[in-house]
Amino acid sequence: QVQLVESGGGLVQAGGSLRLSCAASGRAFSSYSAGWFRQAPGKEREFVAAIRWNTGNTYYADSVKGRFTISRDNVKNMVYLQMNSLKPEDTAVYYCAARGSMVIPRTPASWDYWGQGTQVTVSS
């Protein structure tokens, strides 16, 4: 089993920055992938970013490319999402996810483990 716990959400003005953290535990992650998804009120959960744990290769949704950066700390088993130049449309609950494969799908249903989510609110 894998446990994921997010932190770092909050309220920020448009143009500001936040860093989300995800603490991962339960097994070795060398063959895993980790990702961030978000869900705004009334909308489906959508892919934001992902990283292959062993190589560090990263993938982004077009809507956040150039503004968000996903990274991981192999020693601490942490995944981060640095969010810069935030916009009101980035407001959502952000979820950390993991899957036991280095294949990275963008559909939420393909991911095996989820955190409880952390709220990010961007005011205009």
Side-chain angles (χ1 to χ4, degrees), residues 38-46 88-95 119:
R38 67 187 182 187
Q39 188 166 17
K43 295 189 176 181
E44 293 186 352
R45 192 170 298 189
E46 65 175 3
E89 51 263 44
D90 294 318
T91 295
V93 177
Y94 283 70
Y95 296 91
Q119 177 69 47

Side-chain angles (χ1 to χ4, degrees), residues 64 89 116:
V64 306
E89 51 263 44
Q116 81 286 354

Side-chain angles (χ1 to χ4, degrees), residues 3-7 21-25 36 78-79 96 114-117:
Q3 294 79 42
L4 303 171
V5 179
E6 304 98 332
S7 61
S21 300
C22 174
S25 62
W36 289 94
M78 296 288 294
V79 182
C96 180
W114 293 89
Q116 81 286 354

Side-chain angles (χ1 to χ4, degrees), residues 1 9 15 18 34 44 48-49 51-52 61-62 67 80 82 88 98-99 101 112 123-124:
Q1 271 290 14
L18 279 175
E44 293 186 352
V48 174
I51 187 166
R52 287 183 177 162
D62 288 343
R67 300 188 298 123
Y80 304 101
Q82 178 66 43
R99 70 190 307 265
S101 169
D112 304 314
S123 63
S124 57

Side-chain angles (χ1 to χ4, degrees), residues 42-122:
K43 295 189 176 181
E44 293 186 352
R45 192 170 298 189
E46 65 175 3
F47 172 83
V48 174
I51 187 166
R52 287 183 177 162
W53 200 270
N54 59 346
T55 64
N57 290 354
T58 57
Y59 306 85
Y60 297 95
D62 288 343
S63 58
V64 306
K65 202 172 294 183
R67 300 188 298 123
F68 290 11
T69 302
I70 187 171
S71 62
R72 73 358 185 169
D73 184 320
N74 286 347
V75 174
K76 297 181 179 178
N77 272 1
M78 296 288 294
V79 182
Y80 304 101
L81 185 67
Q82 178 66 43
M83 305 186 294
N84 298 329
S85 302
L86 283 161
K87 304 175 182 180
E89 51 263 44
D90 294 318
T91 295
V93 177
Y94 283 70
Y95 296 91
C96 180
R99 70 190 307 265
S101 169
M102 288 181 283
V103 175
I104 296 183
R106 300 195 176 205
T107 52
S110 298
W111 291 72
D112 304 314
Y113 305 100
W114 293 89
Q116 81 286 354
T118 185
Q119 177 69 47
V120 172
T121 303
V122 184

